[in-house]
Amino acid sequence: MLKGIAASSGIAIAKVYKLQQPVLNIEKKECDSAAEVAKFQAALVKTQADIEAVKAKAEGKLSEEELAIFDAHLMMANDPELSGQIEEMIKNESCNAEFATETVANMMISMFESMDNDYFKERAADVKDVTFRLKCNIVGAVIPDLTTINEEVVIVAEDLTPSDTAQLNKQFTLGFATATGGRTSHSAIMARSLEIPAVVGCAGIMEQASQGDLLILDAVEGQVILNPTPEQVKEYEAKAEAFKAEKEALKVLKDAKSVTTDGHEVELAGNIGTPKDVEGVLNNGGEGVGLYRTEFLYMDSELDFPSEDEQFEAYKAVLEGMGGKKVVVRTLDIGGDKKLPYFTFPEEMNPFLGYRAIRLCLDRTDIFRTQLRALIRASVYGKLCIMFPMIATLDEFRQAKALFEEEKAKLVSEGVAVSDHIEVGMMVEIPAAAVLADQFAKEADFFSIGTNDLIQYSMAADRMSEKVSYLYQPLNPSILRLVKVTIDGAHKEGKWVGMCGEMAGDELAAPVLLGLGLDEFSMSASSILRTRKMIRSLSKQEMEVMAEKALQCGNIKEVTELVKNSLK
Ligand code: PEP
Ligand code: MG
């Protein structure tokens, strides 16, 4: 058994198709440069045609965004800068075309790889992909054609390029396992959108797997079993059936409403950390983004705070990507366990109780104003809601909102287009704010309950400490009462309440939250359809009765029993 990373969920059992790319041993040779230039140009034309062909095969299988990878490849293959440099080297050094191609390609790859920017790092992979094809065409090496696979297989490879992945025929390719790669590598992203199970980063697989071996790909747990016993095969056949049946059944709910048996509708949204995560939310039937944790934008930046324009681009991408569906963006929540490489935090005994989130932003208004401006500028691209993290007092909320209004007015006076419908709300994750929700609700447009922090502060139990993790008790009646006070306080003022902490996607908590009147549940994309299925099986009225009883319980054990009985 080999361990890896589950990049695209599912289970497959099939024979190994080991993808061996041709090994090109390229050496410098002295040649007639005119003949080599001609050879190079012919190979370039074939390469362009090959990419066109791969793109044509992928059309209909991949999203517009993924197909754009091939346009990028075509652009590269048509780039006069690339071909010009190669031809120049052939002429200047009277060398062979494949050597010149490799030399120029390696220069470009190391230039892109050394750049401190994910976008350019990904371009290095594109140069590798295109120039490998080019070199094969020059020397007449055949790149394995994955489209010719005509029996059920699991592909095993060192890594898969975007063009490899696009060629996969879902009928015969039941999954793939690669030796390299992570959850966000190109091939992993493609596997998720093609919905092919994949395990990546499976070290040793190329050495251990042989062509035709039987293989179990467990892309739920992130592992691969080579040459399994008949018992293991039986066990995994049953698992695969159950997985498939559940997934199929859930798919029909992608565009369904999240509505209870007695007609009460709630909203199921996704939590995201980067613009790339939008796709997963939409693919899983997310009705909006309920929490965009913008701090990742700051944490990914290595030398300084991200500029207003960099932030604007990210916020715009998310708003546009969601196509008019609601997007709740949380302003910078840094501090606690989240540090920045370019910013020195004060030494504190209890960083989670210290200088973090809105506290830091109200102190360093320069940082905060930049983010607000970027958000307000992006507001015209979709339905933007902004919320402030870690609000403890009404005064903090007022100060933050005043800064927002100031920046908005400035942008308007500068002639910048801004939306008139930006909602400004807050996270309820400090018990003081929950208890006083009715007062906050007079001024905030909405609440989103952050139970990860609300529970840590209510129970006085550090969320990072293993020793006290038993105190993370979403179903504790004390937490349920705080949630109720928050929801009731908002509803009294006609405001909506969401929840973006882990509790919202918890199978036992969701029925109680429904009963308490929560309007929006925001969770990781992969939990959305499962939660929708549950909501659609429940009666709001019955959950209200159950939630009332839960509020009167003494501990989580009683609440858990109550919920389980109500689900029977
Ligand atoms: C929360 O506290 O519940 C929350 C959603 O925010 P974070 O987990 O980012 O602190
Ligand atoms: Mg929080």
Side-chain angles (χ1 to χ4, degrees):
M1 183 189 292
L2 297 171
K3 277 292 203 186
I5 302 160
S8 174
S9 199
I11 288 166
I13 307 169
K15 280 199 278 187
V16 169
Y17 175 99
K18 206 165 164 187
L19 178 66
Q20 303 267 27
Q21 295 291 2
V23 181
L24 307 174
N25 289 315
I26 294 176
E27 283 173 16
K28 190 174 186 181
K29 289 183 213 146
E30 190 140 342
C31 294
D32 168 33
S33 48
E36 287 302 302
V37 168
K39 200 158 110 186
F40 168 72
Q41 285 171 345
L44 189 62
V45 171
K46 181 167 177 350
T47 301
Q48 289 157 351
D50 287 350
I51 301 170
E52 293 274 14
V54 173
K55 187 185 169 202
K57 278 180 197 156
E59 252 150 24
K61 278 200 273 179
L62 297 178
S63 71
E64 282 300 313
E65 197 182 330
E66 285 144 3
L67 287 172
I69 293 175
F70 300 106
D71 292 328
H73 286 190
L74 274 175
M75 225 155 80
M76 205 167 278
N78 285 316
D79 183 3
E81 175 77 21
L82 177 71
S83 51
Q85 277 191 44
I86 296 170
E87 286 180 20
E88 208 176 286
M89 181 165 173
I90 297 174
K91 285 179 200 156
N92 290 345
E93 304 194 17
S94 298
C95 68
N96 44 333
E98 63 272 25
F99 181 77
T101 305
E102 180 155 279
T103 311
V104 172
N106 285 346
M107 255 159 38
M108 288 179 86
I109 292 164
S110 47
M111 180 188 77
F112 280 132
E113 279 179 344
S114 69
M115 286 185 180
D116 197 17
N117 175 314
D118 280 350
Y119 174 81
F120 287 114
K121 284 192 175 139
E122 278 167 24
R123 297 290 73 75
D126 293 336
V127 179
K128 262 186 216 163
D129 197 339
V130 172
T131 55
F132 180 70
R133 206 174 266 288
L134 189 51
K135 286 183 289 181
C136 287
N137 283 334
I138 295 170
V139 301
V142 181
I143 296 179
D145 184 354
L146 296 174
T147 59
T148 60
I149 294 175
N150 58 7
E151 58 173 341
E152 292 191 341
V153 295
V154 168
I155 294 178
V156 170
E158 185 61 32
D159 191 12
L160 290 176
T161 62
S163 17
D164 293 330
T165 323
Q167 291 178 61
L168 300 181
N169 179 338
K170 274 180 77 170
Q171 187 188 350
F172 298 119
T173 307
L174 303 193
F176 67 76
T178 61
T180 58
R183 254 192 80 79
T184 55
S185 61
H186 252 142
S187 47
I189 293 167
M190 292 257 196
R192 285 198 286 278
S193 51
L194 288 165
E195 296 188 43
I196 294 178
V199 173
V200 299
C202 196
I205 184 116
M206 283 302 269
E207 293 74 31
Q208 307 226 12
S210 305
Q211 200 72 272
D213 277 354
L214 190 63
L215 179 151
I216 293 177
L217 182 78
D218 176 357
V220 175
E221 297 293 332
Q223 59 196 16
V224 163
I225 305 171
L226 278 168
N227 298 313
T229 62
E231 291 75 37
Q232 283 175 316
V233 172
K234 244 189 163 159
E235 179 195 341
Y236 273 90
E237 275 170 351
K239 280 191 186 175
E241 268 312 306
F243 183 88
K244 219 169 98 188
E246 194 189 338
K247 200 166 165 212
E248 271 310 305
L250 285 177
K251 260 196 200 151
V252 299
L253 296 178
K254 188 174 160 222
D255 299 310
K257 289 189 167 178
S258 311
V259 62
T260 61
T261 53
D262 50 351
H264 176 79
E265 202 174 331
V266 295
E267 192 177 327
L268 296 187
N271 291 350
I272 65 167
T274 74
K276 280 189 187 154
D277 300 339
V278 163
E279 195 177 336
V281 173
L282 292 174
N283 285 343
N284 283 286
E287 294 158 279
V289 165
L291 167 64
Y292 174 10
R293 289 183 162 99
T294 58
E295 54 273 15
F296 291 107
L297 196 62
Y298 292 74
M299 287 156 80
D300 285 346
S301 197
E302 280 171 24
L303 300 175
D304 203 351
F305 285 92
S307 68
E308 183 182 317
D309 282 345
E310 269 173 75
Q311 294 190 50
F312 166 76
E313 291 299 337
Y315 306 149
K316 179 182 164 202
V318 172
L319 285 160
E320 279 189 335
M322 287 306 291
K325 292 190 164 102
K326 191 192 75 185
V327 174
V328 182
V329 183
R330 175 172 78 185
T331 59
L332 182 59
D333 182 357
I334 207 76
D337 57 331
K338 297 176 197 145
K339 303 284 192 254
L340 299 175
Y342 45 85
F343 183 79
T344 314
F345 286 85
E347 282 291 328
E348 292 174 308
M349 294 287 280
N350 297 295
F352 269 111
L353 301 181
Y355 186 66
R356 63 172 285 208
I358 200 67
R359 303 163 180 193
L360 185 153
C361 286
L362 291 177
D363 180 48
R364 287 291 308 269
T365 51
D366 54 329
I367 298 167
F368 193 39
R369 283 181 193 272
T370 304
Q371 181 172 38
L372 291 171
R373 284 177 68 86
L375 279 167
I376 298 164
R377 278 172 55 199
S379 66
V380 288
Y381 295 96
K383 192 169 172 192
L384 174 66
C385 304
I386 297 177
M387 67 178 173
F388 308 125
M390 293 282 292
I391 294 285
T393 70
L394 199 50
D395 198 46
E396 283 172 340
F397 180 77
R398 286 180 181 154
Q399 281 182 54
K401 188 159 179 196
L403 288 167
F404 162 82
E405 295 293 358
E406 268 179 50
E407 289 309 321
K408 189 173 159 199
K410 263 193 235 165
L411 283 164
V412 170
S413 72
E414 288 165 25
V416 178
V418 307
S419 162
D420 275 341
H421 305 289
I422 309 173
E423 290 187 43
V424 181
M426 57 181 264
M427 293 207 47
V428 174
E429 52 187 343
I430 295 181
V435 170
L436 210 62
D438 57 335
Q439 298 304 313
F440 281 99
K442 293 187 170 99
E443 302 183 33
D445 293 330
F446 67 94
F447 292 152
S448 185
I449 308 175
T451 47
N452 306 340
D453 278 317
L454 185 65
I455 298 173
Q456 98 160 330
Y457 296 132
S458 303
M459 306 299 250
D462 188 337
R463 66 194 262 192
M464 307 297 282
S465 164
E466 279 285 309
K467 288 269 188 232
V468 295
S469 63
Y470 74 97
L471 287 167
Y472 174 76
Q473 298 184 352
L475 289 181
N476 190 301
S478 62
I479 300 299
L480 298 180
R481 287 188 190 193
L482 283 171
V483 170
K484 180 180 164 55
V485 169
T486 307
I487 295 175
D488 290 352
H491 286 177
K492 210 169 92 189
E493 298 295 331
K495 307 293 171 67
W496 62 269
V497 189
M499 179 178 286
C500 58
E502 289 305 307
M503 182 177 175
D506 181 323
E507 286 180 68
L508 288 178
V512 189
L513 297 171
L514 181 69
L516 292 175
L518 191 73
D519 303 298
E520 178 235 45
F521 298 61
S522 192
M523 59 198 72
S524 70
S526 56
S527 302
I528 294 175
L529 289 175
R530 184 177 41 74
T531 309
R532 178 165 300 147
K533 183 177 169 205
M534 170 183 274
I535 299 273
R536 289 172 61 88
S537 72
L538 300 173
S539 142
K540 167 90 177 348
Q541 240 181 359
E542 282 174 27
M543 292 309 111
E544 277 172 9
V545 175
M546 185 269 286
E548 260 320 306
K549 287 186 193 152
L551 292 168
Q552 302 311 319
C553 287
N555 57 30
I556 39 170
K557 192 162 165 271
E558 288 169 38
V559 178
T560 307
E561 248 169 57
L562 199 65
V563 179
K564 283 189 174 160
N565 283 334
S566 78
L567 293 179
K568 270 182 193 154

